[in-house]
Amino acid sequence: MTRVLIASIYHEVNHFSPGVTTIEDFQRLGWALGADSLVRGKGRDQAAGAASVAREEGVDLVAILFAQAGSGPPVTDSAYAAIREIVLGAIREHRESLDGIYLSLHGAMATESLTDPEGALLAEVREIVGPDLPVAASFDLHCHFTALMARSADILVGFETCPHVDFFTTGQRAMRLLVRSIRGEPAPVVRYRKIRMTASSEHHDTRRGPMHEVMVRRKELERRPGILDISVFATQPWFDAPEVGWSTVVIAAPDALAPDAAANAQQCADELGEMLWARRERFRVRKTPVDQVLAAVREARAAGEERPIVASEGADSTSAGSTGDGVDTLRALVEAGATIDALVPVADPVAAAACFAAGVDATVDMEVGGRLSPGFHRPLRVTGRVATLCDGRYRSKYPPFPTDAGPTAVLAIGAIRLVITSRPAYLLDLELFKRAGLDPVAAELVVVKSAGGYREFYEPIAAQVFDIDTTGPADSDLTRLPFRRLDHPLWPFEADLQQPW
Ligand SMILES: [Zn+2]
């Protein structure tokens, strides 16, 4: 029986998000050991995809770990050490009986001390198993791809969709290539190209625009003789480390029609790299000032529009690791007289607790926001009536898992309904508002905090969608952020750069 060890570890750093991500965060958000780790993703994740191929191919999976901490500040060194020891300890224990290893990773984790812990982990795996045992790794499209990753694994594949929906098939791709290597077919070569560019997530959408064009060409190139798999990595934009830059990664094997696999792979990687570079200005994000958004709401009201305007504070995107405590749009709404029927979310444990202490129907006068990322956000003084209180537990649609935003209050400030969660919650879908007893479809304005993924859920109900120009740890204007460790030159920091690599 062929045996493959599998482990899943997901964390995406935002280096501008204050604090640290602890082992308790992993345990709260997604943690399973042994056989449970294979089913933790409810049959939809990479491990489930790998398991489906394993069943077809008669492969026995040795499941070790599922660890998920979402997006946020760097992982503590102690949490990383614990995860590392679980994975490496299991590999040492099972080494003699293993035919291959598959690590399903995000690719943009960072710890307090390391900027490439996943590359380091793959290198340690390689050291334990030696040069001949096939090692596969899969990544998010926002992977910070490094030379150490390329050196340490034989198979490296990434998501082909953004918003990400291909978890299952990514696991299948990795596992099929791994089985192919285990069965002794010609060893694949990996070639990649790092491109001296980075860009915020708003235009990473693979269904339209520049990224769609690149992904269409990627599919064509994958049909070339000898090409086994191609990945395009649009690096997590708020990752502050050397080697940051987008990457194209190609896996190829010698073929009668393309005997030089390395040259074949490099040619495809370079062609896609050129395509990304040629489109770089189209990845620039142009946002709308908040007063223009409010003017659009008033115009829509005057025209009798029944659908809401949806506006996203992408710079405070909780799914991009920000803290969700920005109140720029709320401030503008309050200053404009609080007459717009708006749903606005904010993460603020102190303000939520104050609402719970006061009780339903009580009037509270307090500061909200600016508590979690004080370097970016200022608090706002508000007076409002506590409309409802709930436990903040609900099933989000994206990601499709149970969510716990902590005790959550709705504060009515004039016509505004401010949804105050105790913890940052992902704000891509409508589910938090629904849990709080609110109907986004009936509002005049719905404010969310997402750099792009919200469009999947909100465009179908919105009269118009805006990305609002605010600041925060996930600012789309990367040149406004205090990066310290990037390798330069790098577009858009050097806007005149002419050489893609
Ligand atoms: Zn991603």
Side-chain angles (χ1 to χ4, degrees), residues 267-388:
Q267 193 188 31
C268 293
D270 289 354
E271 182 183 327
L272 291 173
E274 295 270 14
M275 278 186 82
L276 290 169
W277 178 254
R279 285 161 178 73
R280 63 193 180 283
E281 285 295 340
R282 292 170 61 199
F283 286 102
R284 256 187 214 284
V285 182
R286 284 171 187 84
K287 291 193 167 175
T288 309
V290 67
D291 49 332
Q292 281 181 31
V293 175
L294 301 196
V297 174
R298 288 188 201 99
E299 269 170 45
R301 180 196 287 170
E305 175 61 60
E306 291 191 349
R307 292 167 299 166
I309 296 227
V310 175
S312 182
E313 294 182 334
D316 192 25
S317 168
T318 40
S319 42
S322 188
T323 39
D325 60 329
V327 287
D328 291 349
T329 307
L330 177 67
R331 179 174 283 112
L333 283 164
V334 170
E335 283 172 3
T339 55
I340 291 176
D341 169 14
L343 307 188
V344 185
V346 66
D348 187 331
V350 177
C355 291
F356 272 78
V360 172
D361 276 339
T363 296
V364 290
D365 175 60
M366 63 181 179
E367 292 200 322
V368 289
R371 267 184 241 273
L372 304 175
S373 284
F376 289 97
H377 302 137
R378 286 184 294 129
L380 176 70
R381 184 136 212 123
V382 295
T383 304
R385 181 183 61 83
V386 180
T388 52

Side-chain angles (χ1 to χ4, degrees), residues 137-162:
S138 66
F139 303 100
D140 189 278
L141 178 129
H142 295 110
C143 169
H144 164 55
F145 192 80
T146 65
L148 186 58
M149 290 173 177
R151 270 204 306 280
S152 305
D154 306 282
I155 290 147
L156 304 118
V157 305
F159 292 163
E160 52 189 344
T161 60
C162 183

Side-chain angles (χ1 to χ4, degrees), residues 10-25:
Y10 307 117
H11 169 263
E12 178 184 48
V13 82
N14 179 320
H15 270 118
F16 306 108
S17 186
V20 288
T21 297
T22 63
I23 197 76
E24 288 78 21
D25 291 322

